[in-house]
Amino acid sequence: MERISWDQYFMAQSHLLALRSTCTRLMVGATIVREKRIIAGGYNGSVSGSVHCIDEGCYVVDGHCVRTVHAEANALLQCAKFGVPTENADIYITHFPCLQCSKQLIQAGIKTVYYQTDYRNNEFAIQLFREAGVEMKKVELDYLAVDTNYQQKKKYVDELLARLEPMMDNKAEVNKLKQQAEQLFPENRKV
């Protein structure tokens, strides 16, 4: 078995962090790394102790949820809170950072921004990264994924099979479809 790369490992950590997101508009995770060691992580969610989007909906102003602290900011703030320096560290983010987070990353001394998904990549953010000497690198996770819709997909496939079964005369074909679905969606697997 071939080991995943460091970049894929840290990006996978960011995807796990994204599963903690409390904003329903976009689940984002961020992992700050120095010398191949994780020093902080964050996900997008509300201020500690405040109402969450998953509880009362997003608070949208000018097309943005203002209830949410972004994943990158949460990771940087975790470092600030515990006195962990971010100078020359790297960050792994599930999505390309917004303009505000990009400026914060530059000010915090982040040297490389690794991201998996292009998301409204702001041209000014890209310009600022280049001016500051911050590298931007896209990380592919083509064979490693965290499926945040696993349960919904399993339910949908189960419903389809239940509808198809009475319409199909070939019981062997029905059993084959059920076995294939079981391989894709084992009963004991969680999200």
Side-chain angles (χ1 to χ4, degrees):
M1 180 177 108
E2 188 177 324
R3 294 170 66 190
I4 63 173
S5 71
W6 283 110
D7 290 343
Q8 290 172 325
Y9 170 75
F10 294 126
M11 188 59 71
Q13 294 293 324
S14 294
H15 277 277
L16 287 174
L17 282 162
L19 292 175
R20 293 280 307 154
S21 294
T22 62
C23 185
T24 56
R25 292 170 59 98
L26 187 65
M27 297 173 75
V28 179
T31 305
I32 300 178
V33 175
R34 188 182 321 102
E35 297 174 11
K36 297 202 181 350
R37 299 288 181 260
I38 296 171
I39 60 174
Y43 53 86
N44 57 333
S46 299
V47 173
S48 296
S50 188
V51 173
H52 295 281
C53 300
I54 57 174
D55 298 324
E56 293 191 12
C58 292
Y59 183 18
V60 179
V61 176
D62 295 330
H64 300 281
C65 179
V66 296
R67 188 184 310 275
T68 302
V69 178
H70 289 191
E72 306 91 322
N74 269 326
L76 291 172
L77 291 166
Q78 187 180 70
C79 287
K81 185 175 186 177
F82 296 107
V84 178
T86 55
E87 186 72 29
N88 293 318
D90 302 320
I91 191 165
Y92 290 79
I93 315 164
T94 57
H95 297 74
F96 193 87
C98 72
L99 177 58
Q100 294 305 318
C101 287
S102 298
K103 293 189 283 186
Q104 293 169 20
L105 295 171
I106 292 167
Q107 290 298 96
I110 298 294
K111 67 177 182 177
T112 308
V113 172
Y114 295 89
Y115 66 98
Q116 184 191 358
T117 303
D118 290 302
Y119 183 73
R120 301 179 184 172
N121 300 23
N122 184 288
E123 287 300 319
F124 187 54
I126 293 168
Q127 177 186 332
L128 289 174
F129 280 146
R130 288 183 179 141
E131 288 173 2
V134 175
E135 288 186 72
M136 297 160 282
K137 295 184 179 180
K138 193 167 186 176
V139 176
E140 298 295 331
L141 280 181
D142 52 359
Y143 64 90
L144 179 66
V146 176
D147 189 352
T148 59
N149 297 311
Y150 176 84
Q151 291 170 332
Q152 295 92 332
K153 290 176 185 176
K154 181 181 183 334
K155 182 180 176 188
Y156 181 72
V157 168
D158 289 345
E159 289 171 1
L160 282 177
L161 288 173
R163 287 182 181 177
L164 277 175
E165 188 170 9
M167 294 182 235
M168 295 181 69
D169 293 331
N170 187 341
K171 296 301 176 195
E173 185 67 22
V174 170
N175 287 335
K176 182 179 177 185
L177 290 172
K178 285 182 177 181
Q179 287 174 347
Q180 289 172 334
E182 178 58 34
Q183 288 175 348
L184 289 172
F185 303 104
E187 283 299 321
N188 61 351
R189 182 175 174 208
K190 301 288 185 209
V191 174

